[in-house]
Amino acid sequence: MKAAELSRVGPAEEVVICREVADAPPPGKGEASIELIACSINPADILGIEGNYASIPETPSPLGIEGAGRVTAVGTGVRDLAVGDLVMSLHRANWSQSLTVPAAALVKLPAEIDPEQAAMMKVNAATAMLMLKSYVTLKPGDWVMQNAGNSGVGTDVIKLARKRGLNTVSVVRRHELIKPLHDMGANVVVLEGPDLAERVSAATNGAEIKLGLDAIAGSAVNDMAACLAEGGVIVNYGLLSGKPCTLDAHQVVFRDITLTGFWLAKLMRGMQPKQIRDMYAELSGYFIDGTLKVAVEARYGLDDIQKAMAHAKRESRSGKVLLRPNG
C-alpha cells in the first residue's frame, strides 16, 4: 500500500514523499483497521515537517495529524466499533491508504457527516471550541477578538461564536477578506495596522472585550492587548509571524492583561476518553446541521503528495487542501 513519509526536515514540498509500505496488519486484541477516505493538510503538519513545531521529528517518519475513514476489520474485545463505521482518527500518522490502530484512537461518527468534513474536524474546530470555552466565562452578547480571522480556526471561531450568541471582532490583513467574513457571520472585521484599538472601540461602541485569540505572535499580541478590557485574557495558539510574543509591562502590570498558550495535543492528553468523544459528538452535530462547513480548494492522491504540499503552502487559498489516499 501507499503512504506519505517525511524523508528529512526541510521544505514540505521537497521532503515529503509517497512510497510503498507494508500493508497494515490484521487487528489484534483491542485494535481496528480502517481505510482512509480523506486527510487534511493542516498548518501544524507543515510546521512539523519544516522543523518549526514543538519538536524536531525523527526521519524517516509517517505523517498526517488528521484523517477519516471506514472500519474494515475489528479485533477481539472491540465492542464500540463495527465494520463499515465511519470514524475520525486520533492517530498522528494518517496519510496512508489504511491503518491498524488501537480502537481507542478512533472516534465513531454519525453516518450523516461528510467524510471530508470529518477529516477536517479534529484540529481547527476543536481548537476554536475549546478556546471559546476554556479561558473566560462568556455569555450571549459578550465580545471575542481574534487575528488571522480568515484562517481555518478563525472562521470556525466566527461560526461557533455566532451559534452561542457571542460577538466577534476579526482582524485581517487584506481588504478583500472583510466581506466574506461578514457574510459568514462576523460582527466586526477590521484591517490590521495603526490605531487598531481606536478603530475596534469605535466599531464595537466601546464594548468590553474579555477574550483575545492570537494566531500571529510578535507585536500582534500587544496590539490585541490594547483592544481588550482590563483583566482580559489573550490565548496564543499560533506563530504566523515567526517572532516571540510581545506584551509590554503597561498591559501586564497596570491593565492586568494575561497571556497564555493553547496547544490542542497537550490539552487533549489531559482529557478523559469520554470528554474527547463528547466534544467530537458536539462538533459532529455542528457539521451535520451546517453550523460548520470547511471549504475545500483541492484534492490530491498520495502519488501527488509534493504538489499537494506546495498547494497547501500557498497564501490566499479559498479552502483546504485534502488528500484522498484511496482515490
Side-chain angles (χ1 to χ4, degrees), residues 100-130:
T100 296
V101 297
L106 301 173
V107 177
K108 183 178 177 180
L109 301 174
E112 302 94 324
I113 193 170
D114 179 343
E116 288 193 341
Q117 295 294 310
M120 300 181 283
M121 180 171 66
K122 176 183 173 182
V123 176
N124 288 351
T127 295
M129 186 166 77
L130 288 171

mmCIF file of all heavy atoms in Angstrom, residues 100-130:
data_model
loop_
_atom_site.group_PDB
_atom_site.id
_atom_site.type_symbol
_atom_site.label_atom_id
_atom_site.label_comp_id
_atom_site.label_asym_id
_atom_site.label_seq_id
_atom_site.Cartn_x
_atom_site.Cartn_y
_atom_site.Cartn_z
ATOM 1 N N THR A 100 -3.901 0.151 10.987
ATOM 2 C CA THR A 100 -4.393 -0.648 12.102
ATOM 3 C C THR A 100 -3.919 0.024 13.376
ATOM 4 O O THR A 100 -2.712 0.216 13.574
ATOM 5 C CB THR A 100 -3.883 -2.083 12.035
ATOM 6 O OG1 THR A 100 -4.413 -2.724 10.858
ATOM 7 C CG2 THR A 100 -4.318 -2.879 13.254
ATOM 8 N N VAL A 101 -4.862 0.422 14.220
ATOM 9 C CA VAL A 101 -4.549 1.211 15.417
ATOM 10 C C VAL A 101 -5.407 0.724 16.581
ATOM 11 O O VAL A 101 -6.407 0.015 16.376
ATOM 12 C CB VAL A 101 -4.817 2.714 15.171
ATOM 13 C CG1 VAL A 101 -3.912 3.265 14.077
ATOM 14 C CG2 VAL A 101 -6.287 2.959 14.819
ATOM 15 N N PRO A 102 -5.057 1.098 17.805
ATOM 16 C CA PRO A 102 -5.941 0.792 18.932
ATOM 17 C C PRO A 102 -7.324 1.398 18.691
ATOM 18 O O PRO A 102 -7.445 2.535 18.219
ATOM 19 C CB PRO A 102 -5.238 1.456 20.116
ATOM 20 C CG PRO A 102 -3.798 1.504 19.732
ATOM 21 C CD PRO A 102 -3.793 1.741 18.256
ATOM 22 N N ALA A 103 -8.341 0.642 19.019
ATOM 23 C CA ALA A 103 -9.706 1.138 18.815
ATOM 24 C C ALA A 103 -9.944 2.437 19.574
ATOM 25 O O ALA A 103 -10.745 3.279 19.150
ATOM 26 C CB ALA A 103 -10.713 0.078 19.244
ATOM 27 N N ALA A 104 -9.231 2.631 20.688
ATOM 28 C CA ALA A 104 -9.387 3.853 21.472
ATOM 29 C C ALA A 104 -8.906 5.089 20.716
ATOM 30 O O ALA A 104 -9.227 6.217 21.111
ATOM 31 C CB ALA A 104 -8.623 3.727 22.788
ATOM 32 N N ALA A 105 -8.131 4.893 19.637
ATOM 33 C CA ALA A 105 -7.637 6.019 18.837
ATOM 34 C C ALA A 105 -8.609 6.399 17.728
ATOM 35 O O ALA A 105 -8.279 7.244 16.892
ATOM 36 C CB ALA A 105 -6.279 5.677 18.242
ATOM 37 N N LEU A 106 -9.784 5.788 17.705
ATOM 38 C CA LEU A 106 -10.788 6.078 16.686
ATOM 39 C C LEU A 106 -12.058 6.598 17.346
ATOM 40 O O LEU A 106 -12.501 6.072 18.369
ATOM 41 C CB LEU A 106 -11.103 4.815 15.874
ATOM 42 C CG LEU A 106 -9.915 4.175 15.152
ATOM 43 C CD1 LEU A 106 -10.334 2.852 14.531
ATOM 44 C CD2 LEU A 106 -9.348 5.114 14.098
ATOM 45 N N VAL A 107 -12.629 7.626 16.756
ATOM 46 C CA VAL A 107 -13.885 8.202 17.249
ATOM 47 C C VAL A 107 -14.975 7.873 16.244
ATOM 48 O O VAL A 107 -14.920 8.309 15.086
ATOM 49 C CB VAL A 107 -13.768 9.731 17.411
ATOM 50 C CG1 VAL A 107 -15.106 10.313 17.847
ATOM 51 C CG2 VAL A 107 -12.672 10.087 18.409
ATOM 52 N N LYS A 108 -15.957 7.087 16.677
ATOM 53 C CA LYS A 108 -17.074 6.751 15.800
ATOM 54 C C LYS A 108 -17.910 7.993 15.530
ATOM 55 O O LYS A 108 -18.222 8.761 16.445
ATOM 56 C CB LYS A 108 -17.936 5.669 16.441
ATOM 57 C CG LYS A 108 -19.083 5.194 15.561
ATOM 58 C CD LYS A 108 -19.861 4.074 16.243
ATOM 59 C CE LYS A 108 -21.052 3.636 15.404
ATOM 60 N NZ LYS A 108 -21.813 2.544 16.053
ATOM 61 N N LEU A 109 -18.278 8.195 14.251
ATOM 62 C CA LEU A 109 -19.002 9.387 13.839
ATOM 63 C C LEU A 109 -20.386 9.027 13.320
ATOM 64 O O LEU A 109 -20.604 7.905 12.845
ATOM 65 C CB LEU A 109 -18.224 10.119 12.741
ATOM 66 C CG LEU A 109 -16.817 10.586 13.097
ATOM 67 C CD1 LEU A 109 -16.136 11.152 11.872
ATOM 68 C CD2 LEU A 109 -16.848 11.614 14.222
ATOM 69 N N PRO A 110 -21.317 9.980 13.365
ATOM 70 C CA PRO A 110 -22.635 9.726 12.772
ATOM 71 C C PRO A 110 -22.508 9.468 11.272
ATOM 72 O O PRO A 110 -21.667 10.070 10.591
ATOM 73 C CB PRO A 110 -23.398 11.031 13.040
ATOM 74 C CG PRO A 110 -22.663 11.699 14.135
ATOM 75 C CD PRO A 110 -21.230 11.314 13.983
ATOM 76 N N ALA A 111 -23.352 8.598 10.771
ATOM 77 C CA ALA A 111 -23.298 8.251 9.351
ATOM 78 C C ALA A 111 -23.589 9.454 8.461
ATOM 79 O O ALA A 111 -23.170 9.488 7.302
ATOM 80 C CB ALA A 111 -24.296 7.132 9.061
ATOM 81 N N GLU A 112 -24.295 10.474 9.004
ATOM 82 C CA GLU A 112 -24.713 11.603 8.172
ATOM 83 C C GLU A 112 -23.587 12.584 7.858
ATOM 84 O O GLU A 112 -23.711 13.403 6.946
ATOM 85 C CB GLU A 112 -25.829 12.405 8.885
ATOM 86 C CG GLU A 112 -27.063 11.594 9.222
ATOM 87 C CD GLU A 112 -26.995 11.033 10.637
ATOM 88 O OE1 GLU A 112 -25.878 10.659 11.095
ATOM 89 O OE2 GLU A 112 -28.061 10.978 11.280
ATOM 90 N N ILE A 113 -22.486 12.539 8.593
ATOM 91 C CA ILE A 113 -21.448 13.543 8.390
ATOM 92 C C ILE A 113 -20.650 13.239 7.127
ATOM 93 O O ILE A 113 -20.359 12.082 6.811
ATOM 94 C CB ILE A 113 -20.521 13.641 9.624
ATOM 95 C CG1 ILE A 113 -19.643 14.886 9.549
ATOM 96 C CG2 ILE A 113 -19.675 12.395 9.787
ATOM 97 C CD1 ILE A 113 -18.886 15.184 10.833
ATOM 98 N N ASP A 114 -20.313 14.284 6.388
ATOM 99 C CA ASP A 114 -19.496 14.160 5.191
ATOM 100 C C ASP A 114 -18.091 13.731 5.609
ATOM 101 O O ASP A 114 -17.456 14.395 6.432
ATOM 102 C CB ASP A 114 -19.455 15.522 4.494
ATOM 103 C CG ASP A 114 -18.618 15.532 3.226
ATOM 104 O OD1 ASP A 114 -17.810 14.612 3.022
ATOM 105 O OD2 ASP A 114 -18.763 16.486 2.444
ATOM 106 N N PRO A 115 -17.560 12.626 5.057
ATOM 107 C CA PRO A 115 -16.221 12.168 5.462
ATOM 108 C C PRO A 115 -15.138 13.223 5.249
ATOM 109 O O PRO A 115 -14.187 13.295 6.039
ATOM 110 C CB PRO A 115 -15.988 10.936 4.586
ATOM 111 C CG PRO A 115 -17.348 10.433 4.258
ATOM 112 C CD PRO A 115 -18.206 11.668 4.135
ATOM 113 N N GLU A 116 -15.259 14.033 4.206
ATOM 114 C CA GLU A 116 -14.252 15.074 4.002
ATOM 115 C C GLU A 116 -14.303 16.110 5.116
ATOM 116 O O GLU A 116 -13.265 16.582 5.590
ATOM 117 C CB GLU A 116 -14.437 15.751 2.641
ATOM 118 C CG GLU A 116 -14.035 14.885 1.469
ATOM 119 C CD GLU A 116 -13.928 15.658 0.171
ATOM 120 O OE1 GLU A 116 -14.483 16.769 0.066
ATOM 121 O OE2 GLU A 116 -13.271 15.136 -0.754
ATOM 122 N N GLN A 117 -15.505 16.487 5.533
ATOM 123 C CA GLN A 117 -15.616 17.426 6.641
ATOM 124 C C GLN A 117 -15.093 16.794 7.932
ATOM 125 O O GLN A 117 -14.428 17.460 8.737
ATOM 126 C CB GLN A 117 -17.062 17.882 6.813
ATOM 127 C CG GLN A 117 -17.608 18.686 5.637
ATOM 128 C CD GLN A 117 -16.918 20.015 5.461
ATOM 129 O OE1 GLN A 117 -16.782 20.783 6.401
ATOM 130 N NE2 GLN A 117 -16.473 20.297 4.235
ATOM 131 N N ALA A 118 -15.362 15.515 8.106
ATOM 132 C CA ALA A 118 -14.870 14.810 9.291
ATOM 133 C C ALA A 118 -13.349 14.809 9.335
ATOM 134 O O ALA A 118 -12.743 14.857 10.413
ATOM 135 C CB ALA A 118 -15.396 13.376 9.310
ATOM 136 N N ALA A 119 -12.724 14.774 8.159
ATOM 137 C CA ALA A 119 -11.264 14.775 8.086
ATOM 138 C C ALA A 119 -10.663 16.125 8.436
ATOM 139 O O ALA A 119 -9.445 16.245 8.563
ATOM 140 C CB ALA A 119 -10.815 14.357 6.688
ATOM 141 N N MET A 120 -11.500 17.146 8.595
ATOM 142 C CA MET A 120 -11.015 18.478 8.950
ATOM 143 C C MET A 120 -11.544 18.930 10.306
ATOM 144 O O MET A 120 -11.455 20.112 10.651
ATOM 145 C CB MET A 120 -11.412 19.484 7.859
ATOM 146 C CG MET A 120 -10.843 19.161 6.484
ATOM 147 S SD MET A 120 -11.304 20.378 5.204
ATOM 148 C CE MET A 120 -13.005 19.870 4.867
ATOM 149 N N MET A 121 -12.072 18.017 11.095
ATOM 150 C CA MET A 121 -12.737 18.358 12.349
ATOM 151 C C MET A 121 -11.815 18.268 13.553
ATOM 152 O O MET A 121 -11.999 18.986 14.541
ATOM 153 C CB MET A 121 -13.936 17.427 12.545
ATOM 154 C CG MET A 121 -14.728 17.677 13.822
ATOM 155 S SD MET A 121 -16.279 16.750 13.890
ATOM 156 C CE MET A 121 -15.665 15.062 13.965
ATOM 157 N N LYS A 122 -10.812 17.415 13.493
ATOM 158 C CA LYS A 122 -10.027 17.090 14.684
ATOM 159 C C LYS A 122 -9.317 18.298 15.279
ATOM 160 O O LYS A 122 -9.342 18.499 16.505
ATOM 161 C CB LYS A 122 -9.002 16.013 14.345
ATOM 162 C CG LYS A 122 -8.050 15.656 15.478
ATOM 163 C CD LYS A 122 -7.044 14.628 15.005
ATOM 164 C CE LYS A 122 -5.978 14.365 16.049
ATOM 165 N NZ LYS A 122 -4.968 13.405 15.563
ATOM 166 N N VAL A 123 -8.697 19.136 14.451
ATOM 167 C CA VAL A 123 -7.814 20.190 14.957
ATOM 168 C C VAL A 123 -8.502 21.547 15.033
ATOM 169 O O VAL A 123 -8.691 22.106 16.117
ATOM 170 C CB VAL A 123 -6.535 20.272 14.108
ATOM 171 C CG1 VAL A 123 -5.664 21.434 14.579
ATOM 172 C CG2 VAL A 123 -5.753 18.967 14.189
ATOM 173 N N ASN A 124 -8.878 22.110 13.894
ATOM 174 C CA ASN A 124 -9.344 23.501 13.877
ATOM 175 C C ASN A 124 -10.633 23.697 14.657
ATOM 176 O O ASN A 124 -10.760 24.637 15.451
ATOM 177 C CB ASN A 124 -9.522 23.984 12.438
ATOM 178 C CG ASN A 124 -8.200 24.193 11.727
ATOM 179 O OD1 ASN A 124 -7.138 24.139 12.339
ATOM 180 N ND2 ASN A 124 -8.254 24.414 10.429
ATOM 181 N N ALA A 125 -11.616 22.842 14.404
ATOM 182 C CA ALA A 125 -12.906 23.008 15.070
ATOM 183 C C ALA A 125 -12.773 22.814 16.581
ATOM 184 O O ALA A 125 -13.354 23.573 17.371
ATOM 185 C CB ALA A 125 -13.928 22.036 14.494
ATOM 186 N N ALA A 126 -11.997 21.801 16.974
ATOM 187 C CA ALA A 126 -11.805 21.568 18.409
ATOM 188 C C ALA A 126 -11.031 22.713 19.052
ATOM 189 O O ALA A 126 -11.335 23.128 20.174
ATOM 190 C CB ALA A 126 -11.072 20.251 18.619
ATOM 191 N N THR A 127 -10.029 23.233 18.348
ATOM 192 C CA THR A 127 -9.265 24.370 18.860
ATOM 193 C C THR A 127 -10.175 25.573 19.082
ATOM 194 O O THR A 127 -10.148 26.215 20.139
ATOM 195 C CB THR A 127 -8.132 24.732 17.886
ATOM 196 O OG1 THR A 127 -7.193 23.648 17.842
ATOM 197 C CG2 THR A 127 -7.414 26.003 18.316
ATOM 198 N N ALA A 128 -11.001 25.880 18.085
ATOM 199 C CA ALA A 128 -11.910 27.021 18.206
ATOM 200 C C ALA A 128 -12.860 26.833 19.378
ATOM 201 O O ALA A 128 -13.065 27.761 20.187
ATOM 202 C CB ALA A 128 -12.683 27.207 16.903
ATOM 203 N N MET A 129 -13.462 25.653 19.492
ATOM 204 C CA MET A 129 -14.452 25.440 20.542
ATOM 205 C C MET A 129 -13.823 25.495 21.929
ATOM 206 O O MET A 129 -14.357 26.134 22.847
ATOM 207 C CB MET A 129 -15.167 24.100 20.339
ATOM 208 C CG MET A 129 -16.315 23.898 21.322
ATOM 209 S SD MET A 129 -17.416 22.539 20.868
ATOM 210 C CE MET A 129 -16.427 21.146 21.373
ATOM 211 N N LEU A 130 -12.665 24.855 22.088
ATOM 212 C CA LEU A 130 -12.041 24.824 23.406
ATOM 213 C C LEU A 130 -11.523 26.197 23.824
ATOM 214 O O LEU A 130 -11.599 26.560 25.002
ATOM 215 C CB LEU A 130 -10.911 23.797 23.418
ATOM 216 C CG LEU A 130 -11.366 22.336 23.382
ATOM 217 C CD1 LEU A 130 -10.175 21.413 23.186
ATOM 218 C CD2 LEU A 130 -12.114 21.954 24.662
#
